[in-house]
Amino acid sequence: MIKTARTTIRPFVSSDLNDLQQILGDPVTMTYVEPPYTYEQTEHFLENFCIKRKAALACVHKDNNKLIGYLLFKSLGEADSNGHNDVYELGWIFNRNYWCQGFSYEASKALLDYAFDNLKAHRVSAETINLEQAKPLLEKLGLHCEGRLIEATRSNDGDFCDLYVYGLVKNQED
């Protein structure tokens, strides 16, 4: 569990379903991610990806104990001989009622710090097609644009779009 000034970052639990559906089922929130999820899709995603695979963390508001954000945080690559992973992927999707209040930065920064300080991560990367909202936050977090993959993915409208890759290596911090 990671605590910030306003949030707690913790593993997902089954009772997060309704709050997670508010996030993943919202067409505006999901514009640059995937088509909005149905309740059944969210339930499957929560149980299989978030809980069983432990590939994401829940961001919960301290004041009301409401799940306000989904934080992708998964290992990329295989563990070394000691079972240690050192390359991770970071991402976030927040309930839009909590946008523009610094929650995404606060939670992502705490998770980055945890990755480098506690997990001894060597590298953290992120991907986006949304330069308008994601780029400023990625750069504020210290990640650097490492490349643009031209027409590498599709938008929710089915159109090809560019995918931007960001990364931060431990010795690049600061």
Side-chain angles (χ1 to χ4, degrees):
M1 192 173 326
I2 302 168
K3 295 191 180 279
T4 72
R6 300 178 294 165
T7 69
T8 300
I9 300 167
R10 60 158 172 78
F12 274 98
V13 294
S14 295
S15 59
D16 290 328
L17 179 59
N18 289 331
D19 286 343
L20 186 59
Q21 175 59 28
Q22 287 179 358
I23 298 168
L24 301 182
D26 180 15
V28 174
T29 298
M30 297 297 282
T31 298
Y32 296 103
V33 185
E34 294 181 40
Y37 283 26
T38 64
Y39 188 85
E40 293 75 21
Q41 287 173 310
T42 301
E43 184 174 39
H44 182 265
F45 181 76
L46 173 64
E47 289 301 322
N48 292 291
F49 187 80
C50 299
I51 296 174
K52 287 182 184 168
R53 284 187 53 199
K54 299 178 182 174
L57 295 165
C59 182
V60 178
H61 197 294
K62 281 184 179 176
D63 289 347
N64 57 16
N65 207 32
K66 178 177 180 57
L67 170 76
I68 63 169
Y70 157 90
L71 294 166
L72 172 68
F73 188 70
K74 67 176 185 168
S75 173
L76 297 176
E78 298 187 23
D80 64 17
S81 60
N82 298 318
H84 183 263
N85 292 306
D86 53 9
V87 179
Y88 295 88
E89 181 179 11
L90 172 69
W92 60 87
I93 309 171
F94 273 74
N95 181 313
R96 73 176 151 128
N97 293 323
Y98 295 87
W99 287 5
C100 300
Q101 297 175 47
F103 286 104
S104 297
Y105 174 78
E106 182 177 325
S108 297
K109 177 71 170 118
L111 195 50
L112 266 179
D113 290 346
Y114 180 82
F116 286 120
D117 297 341
N118 296 81
L119 300 178
K120 305 303 180 203
H122 173 71
R123 173 184 170 73
V124 175
S125 66
E127 298 176 343
T128 188
I129 63 171
N130 177 6
L131 290 183
E132 183 179 325
Q133 292 171 310
K135 179 183 176 186
L137 180 52
L138 287 164
E139 291 176 352
K140 185 176 180 180
L141 288 167
L143 281 81
H144 307 278
C145 185
E146 297 177 332
R148 177 178 124 196
L149 305 174
I150 298 170
E151 296 187 1
T153 192
R154 290 185 185 267
S155 68
N156 284 349
D157 297 329
D159 299 327
F160 279 105
C161 58
D162 297 348
L163 180 68
Y164 295 84
V165 179
Y166 282 77
L168 180 61
V169 174
K170 175 63 177 167
N171 62 6
Q172 286 180 318
E173 280 191 298
D174 303 325

